[in-house]
Amino acid sequence: MPPRRRGASGFRGVRVRPSGRFYAEIRAGGFRLTLGTYNTPELAARAYDAAAWRFRRPRRDMNFPDVESLEEAEFLAPPTCLVDDEDHHRHHQVQRRIAITEHDEQLMRQWRAQFPNDVDNTDAFFANLRAQRRSNRRHRRAVATFELENPNTTWTENDPRWDDIWTETTSDDE
């Protein structure tokens, strides 16, 4: 997958607000986590990098790849601007989601290390499931092709099984 495009701010994970301030966010586990609003794009980018370090993202995903550790990234990141109770509540929710995500990732690493056979069994299960689905698609396509060539077919013109002729059956299907 190509790297994500950097926006008008010039930094990954930083957007420009209509007010001229800069909004930092990071995507993790299907969620978009708000990191705060900052006066300069560099401060917002530092906040993004601190969160990226916490999620153990690769250095190529960082705005400042010269930062060597999570501690350094958090030291360089500005504190969030918490203006009112709603901001405090939102900030608490974000911090809680980050902590939960970090804990889940840590537990998954431990589980994978402790039970490598389960990981292998899971991988084998899903590989088998993909193979079965692929085989089923190929069979449905063959039947539909046979019915197309058969002059005495019992299928009507509106039969949805005709759509199986166009089913993809390449080996990289999922």
Side-chain angles (χ1 to χ4, degrees):
M1 183 163 62
R4 291 179 63 93
R5 210 171 47 93
R6 295 175 189 243
S9 69
F11 294 102
R12 183 184 305 272
V14 178
R15 296 180 185 189
V16 181
R17 290 275 193 211
S19 65
R21 296 189 67 191
F22 298 88
Y23 169 77
E25 67 180 21
I26 190 167
R27 294 178 186 268
F31 292 100
R32 183 171 40 189
L33 300 174
T34 301
L35 303 173
T37 303
Y38 302 91
N39 292 327
T40 66
E42 290 80 13
L43 291 176
R46 292 279 184 199
Y48 173 88
D49 280 5
W53 269 99
R54 288 182 79 181
F55 287 125
R56 293 179 172 82
R57 298 277 171 90
R59 284 241 175 114
R60 62 183 162 77
D61 289 350
M62 307 285 179
N63 291 305
F64 302 100
D66 58 328
V67 175
E68 298 294 326
S69 66
L70 169 62
E71 292 76 21
E72 184 181 356
E74 287 180 340
F75 177 75
L76 294 171
T80 57
C81 267
L82 304 176
V83 178
D84 57 13
D85 287 338
E86 184 179 333
D87 285 341
H88 284 281
H89 179 68
R90 192 176 317 121
H91 176 72
H92 179 71
Q93 284 180 325
V94 167
Q95 293 303 315
R96 187 165 180 267
R97 284 184 182 167
I98 289 173
I100 289 170
T101 303
E102 286 176 343
H103 185 67
D104 286 349
E105 290 174 354
Q106 179 185 11
L107 290 175
M108 286 302 294
R109 280 191 301 277
Q110 289 173 354
W111 178 78
R112 285 185 185 112
Q114 192 172 2
F115 303 105
N117 290 338
D118 287 352
V119 174
D120 294 340
N121 292 342
T122 302
D123 292 344
F125 169 79
F126 284 108
N128 186 28
L129 183 63
R130 283 190 298 273
Q132 287 175 354
R133 288 180 178 169
R134 194 176 311 116
S135 174
N136 189 354
R137 282 192 299 269
R138 287 183 177 147
H139 175 73
R140 288 192 336 255
R141 184 173 184 180
V143 168
T145 303
F146 173 79
E147 288 295 327
L148 179 67
E149 295 168 357
N150 182 4
N152 298 326
T153 184
T154 58
W155 292 6
T156 64
E157 280 185 32
N158 297 330
D159 196 316
R161 293 177 289 183
W162 289 117
D163 294 339
D164 290 336
I165 291 175
W166 311 109
T167 301
E168 291 291 326
T169 58
T170 60
S171 61
D172 58 341
D173 282 345
E174 296 207 18

